[in-house]
């Protein structure tokens, strides 16, 4: 089977972006399928290609995956218009490829929502089976965040969402809320699979690391770490609020708050930390996932932080959460929802109310004073990762969903 896989932000483990698509494509390749990955140039990713672009495109084999990369630069720090233009250009070039390439099935993953356009075209103009993966609910999410207010833009996104879901032969959602949102919009029965992000239990296997592996962190420091995008959705001012509370309590000598990544809000966060003399907040550049492993092994707590937006409660599946579990790292979260419920049910971390800097600081102080509790939480978290979110098992579930879709399509032909 030949699969054409669209993911604008594709990355191998040598980049600092999410590697879900790389991992799932690897499972298809291991099952004997041919995979063509189509992507753009995301500033925190590594596609594995280093040849020069020719007429805005380059291609090659990367770990058994045929990768086609378009010279379409993208950054989380770009303006809304710049990002939208990048999304539309990628959709246009991807659609042309969908009309000319040889393949048996189209798989497209959002965000952006425009990733579904080549799949729609392939479904109706070439009668190819199409599977659409939804990582965030659009336009519900930007509407609730207030990022997009123009009713015409929201309306157009709603139409594209509806057409993408209806055109797909099957859909994949990464969280319970996403699956429920897809099913509400479908209107008629269709396969909808929940396949969340997973834990790479081998890559993040606990091991001893040097005390100074994280720049600026000493051997006796208690480290709470956040890894990932520093954007509006992440609500990282909540961590600085907790840092300010710790400073007011004169407890900043040992607790270090480490931010690893980049994004639109990072300059403002760095500026605020400097203005308020929050010297216990350390801001580091993104690192490849292979290097991030050492950071997480040195840390004491993983921070799962998002802005207080109800759409996030059951509608997200953040990579960092599963990396924390795989690392045996207790999780501190500041918003309710399905991840919060998992943390509570399996006692693998602590949840604090949104917007409560005092409770956040209390949790950090309490955790820093109870090393045995931390160890037990981390052990239970890694166990949860192995039983419910092992990457290998999720990859097999994904491959079965793809194979079932093409089998059903052939049977109906």
């Amino acid at each position: 089977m030949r699969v054409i896989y669209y993911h604008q932000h594709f990355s191998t483990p040598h980049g600092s972006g999410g590697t879900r698509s790389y991992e799932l494509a690897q499972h298809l390749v291991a099952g004997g399928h041919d995979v063509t990955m189509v992507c753009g140039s995301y500033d925190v990713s590594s596609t594995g290609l280093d040849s020069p672009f020719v007429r805005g495109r380059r291609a090659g084999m990367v770990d058994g995956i045929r990768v086609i990369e378009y010279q379409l630069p993208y950054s989380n720090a770009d303006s809304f218009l710049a990002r939208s233009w990048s999304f539309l250009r990628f959709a246009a070039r991807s659609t042309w490829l969908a009309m000319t390439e040889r393949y048996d099935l189209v798989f497209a993953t959002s965000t952006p929502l425009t990733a579904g356009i080549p799949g729609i075209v392939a479904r109706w103009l070439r009668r190819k089976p199409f599977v659409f993966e939804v990582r965030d609910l659009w336009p519900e999410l930007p509407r609730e965040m207030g990022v997009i207010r123009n009713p015409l833009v929201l309306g157009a996104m709603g139409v594209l969402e509806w057409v993408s879901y209806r055109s797909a032969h099957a859909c994949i959602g990464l969280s319970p809320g996403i699956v429920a949102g897809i099913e509400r919009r479908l209107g008629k029965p269709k396969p909808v699979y929940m396949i969340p992000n997973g834990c790479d239990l081998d890559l993040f296997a606990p091991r001893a690391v040097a005390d100074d592996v994280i720049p600026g962190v000493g051997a006796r420091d208690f480290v709470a770490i956040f890894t990932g995008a520093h954007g509006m959705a992440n609500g990282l001012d909540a961590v600085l609020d907790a840092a300010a509370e710790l400073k007011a309590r004169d407890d900043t000598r040992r607790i270090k708050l480490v931010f690893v990544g980049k994004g639109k809000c990072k300059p403002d966060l760095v500026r605020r930390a400097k203005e308020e003399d929050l010297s216990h907040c350390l801001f580091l550049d993104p690192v490849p996932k292979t290097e991030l492993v050492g950071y997480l092994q040195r840390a004491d707590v993983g921070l799962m932080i998002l802005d207080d937006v109800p759409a996030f409660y059951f509608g997200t599946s953040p990579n960092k959460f599963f990396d924390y579990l795989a690392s045996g790292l207790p999780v501190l979260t500041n918003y309710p929802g399905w991840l919060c419920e998992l943390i509570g049910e399996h006692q693998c971390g602590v949840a604090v109310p949104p917007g409560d800097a005092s409770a956040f600081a209390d949790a950090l102080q309490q955790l820093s004073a109870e090393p045995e509790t931390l160890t037990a939480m981390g052990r239970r978290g890694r166990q949860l990762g192995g039983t419910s979110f092992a990457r290998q098992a999720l990859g097999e579930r994904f491959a079965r969903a793809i194979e079932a879709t093409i089998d059903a399509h052939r049977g109906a032909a």
Side-chain angles (χ1 to χ4, degrees):
M1 177 175 67
R2 296 183 299 272
V3 176
I4 188 166
Y5 192 134
Y6 291 102
H7 183 195
Q8 186 164 350
H9 307 321
F10 169 75
S11 181
T12 71
H14 297 292
S16 57
T19 57
R20 174 185 176 89
S21 290
Y22 171 84
E23 294 158 3
L24 295 182
Q26 286 282 290
H27 279 281
L28 292 179
V29 170
H33 305 301
D34 295 327
V35 179
T36 296
M37 182 68 63
V38 185
C39 61
S41 301
Y42 190 16
D43 66 343
V44 298
S45 295
S46 170
T47 64
L49 300 178
D50 55 13
S51 58
F53 288 96
V54 177
R55 292 190 294 276
R57 164 181 159 157
R58 61 184 177 185
M61 297 299 296
V62 177
D63 299 337
I65 306 167
R66 178 186 174 221
V67 177
I68 297 175
E69 179 184 355
Y70 290 121
Q71 193 174 14
L72 298 172
Y74 174 87
S75 169
N76 182 264
D78 289 343
S79 68
F80 174 74
L81 287 178
R83 282 180 288 159
S84 299
W85 180 234
S86 174
F87 296 158
L88 291 171
R89 291 174 66 199
F90 180 76
R93 299 200 70 171
S94 297
T95 299
W96 173 253
L97 199 67
M99 291 299 297
T100 57
E101 192 80 4
R102 291 184 61 212
Y103 56 88
D104 300 301
L105 178 142
V106 173
F107 180 85
T109 183
S110 68
T111 56
L113 184 59
T114 46
I117 293 175
I120 295 169
V121 170
R123 161 70 193 269
W124 298 114
L125 297 186
R126 295 193 65 183
R127 300 297 179 184
K128 298 289 187 179
F130 167 39
V131 178
F132 189 46
E133 179 178 84
V134 183
R135 298 185 179 216
D136 298 294
L137 288 175
W138 288 63
E140 291 92 330
L141 191 56
R143 181 191 293 118
E144 285 199 24
M145 289 179 61
V147 175
I148 301 175
R149 295 187 174 88
N150 187 309
L152 294 178
V153 174
L154 290 170
M157 292 173 64
V159 170
L160 180 55
E161 176 197 41
W162 184 86
V163 174
S164 297
Y165 295 172
R166 293 295 185 97
S167 298
H169 292 84
C171 293
I172 293 174
L174 272 66
S175 75
I178 294 174
V179 169
I182 294 170
E183 291 175 339
R184 282 196 303 270
R185 290 287 276 161
L186 278 175
K188 60 180 181 179
K190 178 180 292 188
V192 181
Y193 304 92
M194 179 178 155
I195 305 178
N197 283 317
C199 296
D200 190 331
L201 298 165
D202 294 328
L203 179 63
F204 288 96
R207 65 178 185 273
V209 297
D211 289 330
D212 60 354
V213 68
I214 302 177
V217 169
R220 300 183 62 185
D221 290 334
F222 178 87
V223 177
I225 192 168
F226 174 89
T227 62
H230 295 32
M232 291 179 61
N234 302 99
L236 292 178
D237 273 302
V239 184
L240 296 191
D241 293 342
E245 179 68 22
L246 290 172
K247 181 183 176 184
R249 299 178 186 183
D250 196 26
D251 191 356
T252 61
R253 293 182 301 277
R254 198 169 66 87
I255 298 177
K256 292 291 193 297
L257 301 170
V258 178
F259 303 76
V260 183
K262 63 189 298 186
K264 188 173 184 178
C265 296
K266 185 169 184 175
D268 291 335
L269 293 166
V270 173
R271 188 178 306 111
R272 178 187 167 188
K274 184 175 182 180
E275 290 172 352
E276 298 182 20
D277 192 27
L278 303 177
S279 58
H280 49 305
C281 293
L282 306 178
F283 293 89
L284 305 178
D285 291 333
V287 296
K289 201 163 188 176
T290 49
E291 187 176 338
L292 182 65
V293 173
Y295 284 19
L296 295 186
Q297 299 301 345
R298 169 59 186 87
D300 298 286
V301 172
L303 299 177
M304 186 58 255
I305 310 299
L306 279 174
D307 199 12
D308 185 21
V309 176
F312 287 149
Y313 296 173
F314 293 89
T316 59
S317 183
N319 284 303
K320 63 181 71 66
F321 175 76
F322 301 97
D323 291 346
Y324 297 158
L325 292 185
S327 300
L329 200 58
V331 182
L332 194 165
T333 188
N334 73 332
Y335 68 101
W338 77 290
L339 298 183
C340 180
E341 292 174 358
L342 280 173
I343 291 169
E345 179 183 353
H346 295 272
Q347 300 179 39
C348 57
V350 176
V352 298
D356 192 334
S358 180
F360 200 135
D362 288 344
L364 288 170
Q365 288 182 315
Q366 183 176 353
L367 290 169
S368 69
E370 300 178 358
E372 292 182 359
T373 299
L374 278 181
T375 300
M377 285 180 173
R379 185 172 59 250
R380 288 190 291 265
R382 185 166 165 85
Q383 183 178 10
L384 170 63
T387 56
S388 301
F389 302 108
R391 187 187 70 173
Q392 180 69 26
L394 295 175
E396 291 171 359
R397 190 189 307 175
F398 170 77
R400 288 196 300 270
I402 296 298
E403 290 163 355
T405 301
I406 198 163
D407 288 344
H409 180 74
R410 287 171 174 167

